Amino acid sequence: MKDNVESYVTEDGRTIGGLLMEMKSITLRFGGVVAIKDISFDIREGEIRAIIGPNGAGKSSMLNVISGFYRPQEGEVWFRGKPRPSMKPYQVARQGIARTFQNIALFEGMTVLDNVMTGRLTHMKAGLASQALWRGAAEREETENREKVEKIIDFLEIQAIRKTPVGRLPYGLKKRVELARALAAEPMLLLLDEPMAGMNVEEKEDMSRFILDVNDEFGTTIALIEHDMGVVMDLSDRVVVMDYGRKIGDGTPDEVRGNQDVIDAYLGVSHD
Amino acid sequence: MPEQLLYAVEVTLNGLMAGVLYSLVALGFVLIFKASGIFNYAQGVMALFAALTLVGIMNGQVPFAHLINAIFGTEVHHFGWHVPAVLAIVLTMVVMVGFAWVVNHFVLRHLVNQEPIILFMATIGLAYFLEGFGDLMWGSDIKKLEVGLPQGGSFWIEENTQWLGFGNENFYGFFLDRLDLVATVIAAILVIGLVAFSQYTKQGRALRAVADDHQAALSVGISLNFIWVLVWSLAGFVALVAGIMWGAKSGVQFSLSLIALKALPVLMLGGFTSIPGAIVGGLIIGVGEKLFEFSIGPLVGGATENWFAYVLALVFLVFRPQGLFGEKIIERV
Ligand SMILES: Nc1ncnc2c1ncn2[C@@H]1O[C@H](COP(=O)(O)OP(=O)(O)O)[C@@H](O)[C@H]1O
Ligand SMILES: [Mg+2]
């Protein structure tokens, strides 16, 4: 494991840079339930960082802390070398952190295209008045955003359903549209909560390939939650393992696989 | 054409025009309900308050004159100027946006994630507060609202429809109020404007996003507080238009806030989340109650307009609880 923060080049030729995100002694409670117990870890620029652990371990909670949906009682979140003040989710999004949800949160009434376009909202500058009075600027901006969105739609191979209302799509495609919307924001950090849950083998393979391609082609840093050890080993550079709100392992897939606590935690639960 | 039929047509046309106003008030409800799930009981009072403010500004009334005079022993009532209608409308809109901000900042912001019934109760409180506040600010006397909208019947329509009587001496052509005609045109422009806003602007897209899914909206960087202020401002604008129409017709008085109650059956018909539903629902209620009064009213001693809308809505509710265009109500779990 690379403990220093000097950048290095991976075996497959990607550059991993300095610290993008640091979680410092995070504790999160819901009434009596301690969802996260004093956890610290970091995410480096350009890497694919996985968070794994059995159900209820606190993985989603951790992602929600990063994206501002949950506010930890203790600990600090550092972003790009500075402590981040307490932020609302929309402010976090505007900082360049996009996410998907474990239970899919799409705009069901809108088409795929419109859904992905909402991902561009943080990049749209034209004010209300100028949009009303000077359509030219607004239209130019709209066209630029449309072009970016169409590229992402091509990239994720969802051209065929561009105009389909999202509510009508099957589960696997919804997951892909949600990824498209997150990508449309051109995020610095992409948070994926169980991007492959509930998918069949073929869909899982597609999604794995997209995640790797996003990271490789756009250099996007990715933190993802996954239940399935096998998938995680293939995808990620480093892994955090959680169990009952505690961190029980942190390192490369190989290091984590050999960790006795991790093995125990995984033997203690049934999973698919 | 037989005389009865001609009258029925005229009644229908007038019903349509009355319905436009119901549609407008209902539209204000739908905007807020769709975006935030709040049933805004104060919508009718907002129309009243907007109209009061407009008249007050136009007449150069000193706001809170009673209060000021009581405290300082002065006798101020008027600034002594008159503000042109267009400028006064703009200033009133500024007041309504301010109101939206205040509502969000001091009330709604503190009630996020509360049960809908709690939010509903809050808007009831808001309604009575605003009613009293409007009274305190502008006085409770009935005021005339003259923003330069045409009054009286449209002779043009009357003359050009007279031939429909085919020589019938008792038929002078359809009688339509010019104010109603203008109201219809303005309502149509308003609806087109709202649709254009929601389809073609960044803020409109954000608004639709919030109406669809709060979590997802947050994740793409939309500030819910901004959207709440925006929808309440839009609802305030719709209230202002409704207030102007009603005020120009019947004077600005507290009964104006009661038209909010007529919006209820409209919403039951049209569905709480559908803009086309609010429009069509308003027109159906308008036409329905006028036609019912015209045909059945004389048999039952009249005054059916007081209850017809509610009974129609009740019948409708039994057979199609989600309204004409409303989405099927499925509780999210
Ligand atoms: N919004 C919430 N309110 C109350 N408890 C919560 C909430 N979110 C998560 N929890 C609790 O926190 C713990 C961790 O949950 P979660 O982060 O969803 O786990 P994971 O994603 O690893 O399955 C669970 O006990 C869960 O019940
Ligand atoms: Mg989870």
Side-chain angles (χ1 to χ4, degrees):
Chain A
M1 179 179 169
K2 314 281 192 289
D3 272 316
N4 57 19
V5 289
E6 314 258 300
S7 50
Y8 67 96
V9 178
T10 60
E11 286 164 18
D12 49 353
R14 293 170 305 124
T15 308
I16 307 295
L19 299 175
L20 182 64
M21 198 103 218
E22 293 157 85
M23 314 304 286
K24 302 194 176 190
S25 308
I26 302 286
T27 296
L28 175 73
R29 284 182 288 264
F30 294 104
V33 178
V34 187
I36 301 174
K37 240 178 259 170
D38 192 25
I39 290 189
S40 303
F41 68 94
D42 57 56
I43 301 169
R44 299 181 58 157
E45 270 171 36
E47 78 175 338
I48 299 182
R49 185 73 147 127
I51 304 174
I52 64 169
N55 254 330
K59 306 181 296 294
S60 293
S61 298
M62 184 56 87
L63 218 64
N64 283 327
V65 167
I66 299 176
S67 59
F69 279 79
Y70 290 167
R71 203 160 288 180
Q73 278 81 11
E74 286 158 45
E76 286 183 348
V77 179
W78 285 48
F79 184 58
R80 311 181 85 188
K82 281 189 236 85
R84 187 177 80 179
S86 173
M87 274 186 176
K88 297 241 174 78
Y90 79 90
Q91 293 170 314
V92 174
R94 289 177 187 183
Q95 273 203 331
I97 297 179
R99 68 166 294 172
T100 65
F101 295 84
Q102 183 169 356
N103 298 314
I104 307 185
L106 283 166
F107 307 114
E108 300 268 325
M110 296 187 197
T111 63
V112 168
L113 182 60
D114 270 350
N115 264 277
V116 184
M117 277 300 277
T118 61
R120 295 297 302 166
L121 278 171
T122 50
H123 294 271
M124 296 184 186
K125 282 170 213 77
L128 193 50
S130 73
Q131 289 175 82
L133 302 175
W134 193 37
R135 291 297 305 167
E139 268 161 26
R140 188 163 338 120
E141 196 177 77
E142 179 86 3
T143 313
E144 279 170 19
N145 286 315
R146 262 298 280 282
E147 280 167 8
K148 293 219 160 99
V149 161
E150 295 291 354
K151 269 192 198 136
I152 287 160
I153 286 177
D154 287 349
F155 180 77
L156 291 179
E157 297 161 20
I158 46 177
Q159 305 93 325
I161 52 163
R162 286 165 71 251
K163 298 279 181 182
T164 312
V166 159
R168 291 203 206 128
L169 295 176
Y171 184 83
L173 278 178
K174 280 189 185 176
K175 283 257 176 201
R176 211 186 279 188
V177 174
E178 210 191 12
L179 175 62
R181 184 184 63 197
L183 282 181
E186 298 178 287
M188 222 176 303
L189 174 61
L190 178 62
L191 307 172
L192 306 174
D193 196 344
E194 304 208 12
M196 279 161 268
M199 287 184 163
N200 61 36
V201 176
E202 195 188 334
E203 286 171 329
K204 276 190 183 178
E205 280 170 1
D206 282 343
M207 188 54 92
S208 298
R209 178 166 53 86
F210 290 134
I211 290 171
L212 287 171
D213 285 352
V214 166
N215 174 256
D216 197 19
E217 286 183 32
F218 309 139
T220 311
T221 308
I222 298 173
L224 65 90
I225 292 177
E226 191 41 65
H227 216 54
D228 186 326
M229 270 285 212
V231 172
V232 167
M233 298 303 153
D234 292 344
L235 279 182
S236 50
D237 296 301
R238 288 193 301 158
V239 187
V240 175
V241 192
M242 290 178 70
D243 190 25
Y244 291 114
R246 292 170 303 123
K247 183 169 101 167
I248 58 171
D250 190 349
T252 62
D254 284 335
E255 286 167 346
V256 163
R257 208 180 348 224
N259 180 324
Q260 191 56 45
D261 285 341
V262 175
I263 295 167
D264 290 347
Y266 264 80
L267 287 176
V269 292
S270 63
H271 62 99
D272 39 39
Chain B
M1 266 200 259
E3 216 170 296
Q4 278 297 315
L5 184 63
L6 284 169
Y7 285 137
V9 172
E10 185 174 290
V11 167
T12 304
L13 288 173
N14 279 302
L16 277 175
M17 312 247 153
V20 167
L21 205 81
Y22 298 155
S23 298
L24 273 185
V25 179
L27 189 61
F29 278 102
V30 168
L31 281 172
I32 292 181
F33 189 82
K34 206 171 153 62
S36 57
I38 297 175
F39 182 82
N40 177 23
Y41 184 81
Q43 186 66 29
V45 185
M46 279 165 67
L48 169 68
F49 180 75
L52 277 175
T53 305
L54 178 62
V55 174
I57 292 176
M58 282 178 69
N59 294 342
Q61 239 184 298
V62 176
F64 305 106
H66 267 292
L67 198 64
I68 293 170
N69 294 342
I71 295 174
F72 300 104
T74 47
E75 270 303 324
V76 294
H77 291 286
H78 289 274
F79 289 117
W81 65 56
H82 280 266
V83 178
V86 175
L87 179 60
I89 288 174
V90 171
L91 291 175
T92 306
M93 201 46 228
V94 172
V95 172
M96 295 313 283
V97 172
F99 172 72
W101 186 86
V102 167
V103 167
N104 184 60
H105 195 80
F106 292 106
V107 184
L108 299 181
R109 216 164 56 113
H110 306 285
L111 295 178
V112 280
N113 295 332
Q114 294 288 342
E115 297 286 321
I117 186 72
I118 305 278
L119 293 159
F120 176 60
M121 295 308 278
T123 67
I124 292 183
L126 198 62
Y128 287 104
F129 169 79
L130 191 61
E131 195 173 309
F133 189 74
D135 195 351
L136 190 68
M137 195 164 169
W138 302 113
S140 56
D141 45 323
I142 297 177
K143 299 173 184 66
K144 275 181 88 169
L145 176 61
E146 281 165 349
V147 289
L149 293 177
Q151 304 275 353
S154 166
F155 297 117
W156 187 86
I157 289 185
E158 216 168 350
E159 277 167 19
N160 286 286
T161 52
Q162 198 173 6
W163 62 271
L164 281 168
F166 293 110
N168 188 329
E169 286 161 26
N170 290 324
F171 185 71
Y172 302 106
F174 292 131
F175 180 86
L176 293 181
D177 198 327
R178 286 198 297 177
L179 182 64
D180 284 341
L181 289 171
V182 171
T184 306
V185 172
I186 291 181
I189 293 173
L190 182 70
V191 170
I192 292 169
L194 281 177
V195 170
F197 169 79
S198 88
Q199 292 298 322
Y200 302 116
T201 67
K202 169 190 168 186
Q203 290 78 5
R205 183 173 276 138
L207 185 63
R208 279 187 291 139
V210 170
D212 201 315
D213 192 307
H214 289 183
Q215 278 215 334
L218 282 170
S219 81
V220 294
I222 298 169
S223 155
L224 291 184
N225 276 318
F226 171 78
I227 294 295
W228 300 152
V229 174
L230 180 68
V231 284
W232 279 74
S233 299
L234 286 175
F237 181 58
V238 173
L240 171 61
V241 174
I244 292 174
M245 298 309 165
W246 198 268
K249 203 169 173 155
S250 342
V252 179
Q253 48 180 318
F254 279 86
S255 68
L256 178 58
S257 58
L258 297 179
I259 55 168
L261 296 179
K262 267 289 165 58
L264 263 176
V266 171
L267 292 170
M268 289 178 195
L269 229 72
F272 283 76
T273 54
S274 166
I275 289 179
I279 310 297
V280 175
L283 297 180
I284 290 177
I285 296 277
V287 171
E289 68 180 16
K290 286 279 191 300
L291 270 182
F292 191 79
E293 175 69 25
F294 171 75
S295 55
I296 313 288
L299 304 177
V300 296
T304 60
E305 286 179 49
N306 290 335
W307 53 263
F308 174 78
Y310 300 96
V311 174
L312 181 66
L314 181 63
V315 172
F316 214 85
L317 212 52
V318 172
F319 292 103
R320 210 183 141 77
Q322 72 269 37
L324 278 174
F325 303 92
E327 296 131 33
K328 219 179 173 78
I329 305 152
I330 299 169
E331 192 64 34
R332 204 171 289 184
V333 287

